[in-house]
């Protein structure tokens, strides 16, 4: 049996696209190589959101050189966001001539013809969508690897052009799938028994603008999916604060199967920096949105992305970001040091001293950790419904799952609980981790 290995970097979008790649490879008769097993096909699904994501992928690809020497028939493919940057596909092949196939972000389906072709020694392929990205291919097969949770793409691309971000350049403009296609896939996932379905898009709140011109939006779609009978959870990500509307809050409040968990990346707490980032909201607008969420969804877990060291960021701007963190009290925050992305407007702005940025990120992480710890304490001695997802990766004899608000809980139990909803009393917390015992 021929084996494959897929190495995935980046966001959920990529994790989900790797399931498509696995689907294609399964169709071609390959099975997944186990840990330590040699593979006949290796696919790198890359990310270029920050410099370190690219460096990590380049390092791993480089390490394959000796393996390929030992096993020249091994097929190496590099796909995803990194290859989609201007000229990157060709540069990659020049740096690593042993790569057989380079594809972009939306023509992954070509692996189905290119892999057999390379296997029959019919050459090498570099095929990136340089111009407009093609329309959505609705006929993809998936090999889902996510257990109880299934990802469901509702749209591709991004129109926002935040000045630091590479995504609109490598993923193209927003392309929404039709509501019928989404609902069909949702119903299939329900039939297959998935207990949690996560809707994916770079900015789910602008769903439908391109194909329905504002007549039908994300709140309508979410409501339609929430009305499908049966017990399950629906999550979604990512929401852009500028498009997060009150109608959406009402829909989340009305349907218990929509999780009270919102990822609302703020990036910075400074109006000056938000403007330079082209985010289209102010700190006041953002805080109003948070207040509206808290009013209707008091138990909602709110998470965010934060960046420090963006061009022109001064100490007072950073203090505004710290103040934002203190005011909102996020249940979790993903914190990043700004990384220059070639071709984006911010790359041409004056850069902040890396030492200053380093100092700020440490202070930011410390502030958020303190809040996370305090919020975790509030969970103690209360009972939550947990969707049990898997065996615990850290604790023997334990399983883990999430609260509706998105917090990870570890508790004693066996494989029979996986995929089930169980009531768990939280007995102890340790920073972001919650531990508990099941209750009748
Ligand atoms: N579409 C989503 C997420 C995009 S990428 C959104 O709009 O929120 C995820 C996060 O990576 C961003 O929210 C941002 O915080 C971070 N990010 C993006 N570009 C970056 C850069 N050049 N340097 C550092 N962090 C970056
Ligand atoms: Fe990047 Fe901004 Fe689009 Fe998010 S909304 S993907 S940060 S350009
Ligand atoms: Fe990375 Fe592309 Fe996602 S750049 S964060 S994998 S959209």
């Amino acid at each position: 049996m021929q084996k494959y290995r897929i190495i995935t970097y980046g966001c959920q979008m990529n994790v989900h696209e790797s399931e498509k790649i696995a689907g294609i490879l399964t169709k071609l008769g390959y099975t997944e190589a186990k840990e330590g097993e040699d593979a006949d096909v290796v696919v790198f699904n890359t990310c270029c959101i920050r410099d370190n994501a690219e460096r990590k992928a380049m390092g791993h690809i480089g390490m394959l050189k000796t393996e390929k020497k030992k096993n020249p028939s091994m097929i190496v493919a590099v796909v995803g966001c990194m290859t989609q940057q201007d000229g990157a596909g060709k540069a990659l092949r020049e740096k690593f001539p042993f790569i057989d196939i380079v594809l972009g972000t939306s023509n992954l389906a070509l692996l189905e013809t290119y892999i057999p072709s390379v296997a029959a020694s019919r050459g090498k392929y570099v095929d990136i969508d340089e111009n407009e990205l093609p329309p959505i291919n609705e006929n993809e097969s998936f090999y889902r690897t996510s257990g109880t949770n299934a990802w469901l793409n509702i749209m591709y691309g991004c129109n926002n052009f935040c000045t630091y971000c590479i995504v609109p350049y490598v993923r193209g403009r927003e392309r929404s799938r039709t509501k019928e296609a989404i609902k069909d896939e949702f119903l299939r996932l329900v039939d297959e028994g998935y207990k949690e379905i996560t809707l994916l898009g770079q900015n789910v709140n602008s769903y439908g603008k391109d194909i329905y011109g504002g007549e039908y939006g994300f709140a309508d779609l979410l409501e339609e999916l929430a009305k499908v009978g049966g017990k399950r959870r629906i999550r979604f990500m990512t929401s852009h604060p500028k498009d997060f509307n009150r109608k959406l809050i009402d829909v989340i409040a009305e349907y218990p199967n929509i999780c009270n968990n919102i990822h609302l990346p703020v990036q910075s707490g400074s109006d000056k920096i938000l403007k330079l980032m082209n985010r289209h909201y102010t700190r006041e607008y953002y805080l109003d949105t948070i207040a509206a969420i808290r009013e209707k969804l008091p138990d909602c877990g709110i998470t965010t992305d934060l960046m420090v060291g963006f061009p022109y960021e001064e100490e007072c701007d950073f203090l505004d970001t710290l103040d934002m963190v203190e005011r909102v009290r996020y249940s979790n925050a993903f914190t990043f040091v700004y990384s220059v992305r070639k071709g984006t407007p911010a790359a041409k702005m004056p850069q902040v001293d890396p030492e200053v940025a380093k100092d700020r990120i440490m202070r930011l992480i410390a502030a958020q950790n303190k809040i996370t710890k305090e919020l975790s304490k509030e969970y103690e001695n209360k009972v939550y419904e947990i969707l049990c997802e898997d065996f615990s990766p850290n604790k023997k004899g334990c399983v883990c799952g999430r609260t509706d608000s998105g917090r990870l809980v570890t508790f004693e139990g066996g494989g029979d609980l996986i995929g089930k909803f169980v009531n768990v009393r939280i007995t102890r917390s340790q920073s972001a981790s919650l531990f508990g015992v099941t209750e009748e």
Side-chain angles (χ1 to χ4, degrees):
M1 202 67 162
Q2 301 265 84
K3 305 274 177 182
Y4 71 80
R5 188 157 78 233
I6 304 172
I7 299 125
T8 309
Y9 308 87
C11 62
Q12 270 73 20
M13 201 73 80
N14 259 19
V15 171
H16 184 37
E17 264 147 25
S18 285
E19 295 182 333
K20 285 183 208 168
I21 299 169
I24 292 168
L25 290 164
T26 306
K27 213 155 66 174
L28 291 174
Y30 292 86
T31 57
E32 193 177 3
K34 293 201 183 71
E35 191 88 18
E37 240 178 5
D38 286 341
D40 305 281
V41 174
V42 179
V43 183
F44 290 92
N45 192 8
T46 61
C47 169
C48 57
I49 197 81
R50 284 170 290 275
D51 185 50
N52 55 5
E54 281 200 272
R55 266 194 309 200
K56 214 156 80 187
M58 293 297 259
H60 286 167
I61 297 168
M63 271 152 55
L64 228 62
K65 190 174 167 186
T66 40
E67 222 175 301
K68 176 92 176 183
K69 262 209 184 110
K70 270 194 281 175
N71 176 13
S73 65
M74 177 175 76
I75 299 171
V76 180
V78 182
V79 304
C81 293
M82 199 171 94
T83 66
Q84 193 78 49
Q85 297 168 96
D86 257 358
K90 288 208 176 69
L92 207 61
R93 277 273 296 118
E94 277 162 23
K95 189 161 181 190
F96 303 116
F98 59 86
I99 296 174
D100 299 291
I101 302 168
V102 181
L103 290 171
T105 48
S106 61
N107 58 1
L108 291 172
L110 290 172
L111 281 173
E112 195 169 342
T113 48
Y114 289 174
I115 287 176
S117 201
V118 174
S121 301
R122 283 199 291 270
K124 303 203 172 213
Y125 297 87
V126 178
D127 203 339
I128 316 287
D129 317 294
E130 298 282 358
N131 305 309
E132 246 336 87
L133 295 178
I136 298 153
N137 174 10
E138 289 293 349
N139 306 313
E140 287 143 341
S141 45
F142 292 97
Y143 182 77
R144 296 187 193 266
T145 51
S146 45
T148 52
N149 173 50
W151 310 107
L152 201 174
N153 250 131
I154 63 164
M155 61 196 296
Y156 302 87
C158 181
N159 286 357
N160 290 313
F161 288 96
C162 303
T163 53
Y164 50 80
C165 187
I166 195 79
V167 171
Y169 304 88
V170 296
R171 293 252 170 201
R173 294 297 67 72
E174 282 173 5
R175 289 147 1 253
S176 299
R177 294 178 70 192
T178 63
K179 55 185 183 203
E180 290 79 14
I182 295 168
K183 192 152 179 203
D184 275 0
E185 192 176 335
F186 187 90
L187 293 175
R188 265 201 317 277
L189 295 172
V190 167
D191 272 352
E192 286 168 27
Y194 286 98
K195 291 293 184 325
E196 183 174 276
I197 297 171
T198 305
L199 311 179
L200 288 181
Q202 291 298 348
N203 174 13
V204 292
N205 300 107
S206 59
Y207 170 78
K209 279 188 188 154
D210 54 334
I211 52 172
Y212 301 122
E215 294 288 305
Y216 183 95
F218 183 60
D220 304 304
L221 177 72
L222 196 58
E223 180 161 29
E224 211 171 314
L225 299 179
K227 278 183 178 158
V228 173
K231 184 159 175 68
R232 74 187 59 84
R233 285 177 171 180
I234 304 174
R235 296 187 190 274
F236 56 88
M237 66 190 309
T238 296
S239 298
H240 194 302
K242 79 174 161 62
D243 301 311
F244 197 95
N245 58 38
R246 303 300 189 261
K247 183 172 170 191
L248 182 57
I249 300 175
D250 290 340
V251 170
I252 300 171
E254 189 174 343
Y255 296 90
N257 53 1
I258 305 174
C259 288
N260 278 224
N261 187 191
I262 298 169
H263 185 59
L264 202 60
V266 68
Q267 313 300 354
S268 169
S270 151
D271 280 341
K272 178 187 100 188
I273 299 297
L274 288 172
K275 200 160 189 335
L276 286 164
M277 287 177 165
N278 193 31
R279 290 290 288 179
H280 293 284
Y281 54 84
T282 60
R283 62 180 275 126
E284 192 189 344
Y285 179 89
Y286 184 91
L287 285 166
D288 278 353
T289 305
I290 296 289
I293 295 171
R294 295 263 191 246
E295 190 195 331
K296 290 244 164 98
L297 310 166
D299 296 324
C300 191
I302 304 178
T303 57
T304 201
D305 293 344
L306 296 160
M307 207 186 291
V308 300
F310 186 78
Y312 297 105
E313 186 187 69
E314 295 170 280
E315 179 65 15
C316 57
D317 301 306
F318 173 66
L319 291 177
D320 282 346
T321 299
L322 276 185
D323 179 67
M324 182 63 94
V325 164
E326 301 290 345
R327 276 171 198 253
V328 179
R329 293 178 69 76
Y330 295 106
S331 50
N332 196 8
F334 300 89
T335 50
F336 308 107
V337 173
Y338 166 69
S339 164
V340 176
R341 302 287 74 202
K342 222 173 104 204
T344 62
K348 296 195 193 79
M349 298 179 191
Q351 302 299 320
V352 167
D353 177 353
E355 286 303 314
V356 171
K358 210 160 111 189
D359 172 65
R360 286 180 190 157
I361 191 96
M362 305 293 272
R363 287 155 69 199
L364 182 62
I365 292 171
Q368 178 56 44
N369 282 351
K370 184 166 170 282
I371 292 164
T372 304
K373 198 171 162 185
E374 285 165 8
L375 291 178
S376 292
K377 275 255 167 277
E378 290 174 16
Y379 279 79
E380 289 180 8
N381 297 317
K382 291 185 190 133
V383 178
Y384 293 88
E385 187 179 60
I386 306 295
L387 171 56
C388 183
E389 290 172 23
D390 209 344
F391 291 104
S392 164
N394 308 319
K395 215 159 174 249
K396 268 215 153 75
C398 284
V399 286
C400 60
R402 282 176 199 278
T403 62
D404 179 90
S405 65
R407 293 295 304 266
L408 193 68
V409 180
T410 303
F411 51 101
E412 266 177 41
D416 55 315
L417 293 181
I418 295 171
K420 299 212 170 80
F421 288 94
V422 272
N423 287 327
V424 175
R425 177 176 293 279
I426 307 300
T427 49
R428 176 168 81 81
S429 68
Q430 196 178 39
S431 342
S433 312
L434 303 177
F435 301 90
V437 288
T438 50
E439 285 222 324
E440 280 312 306

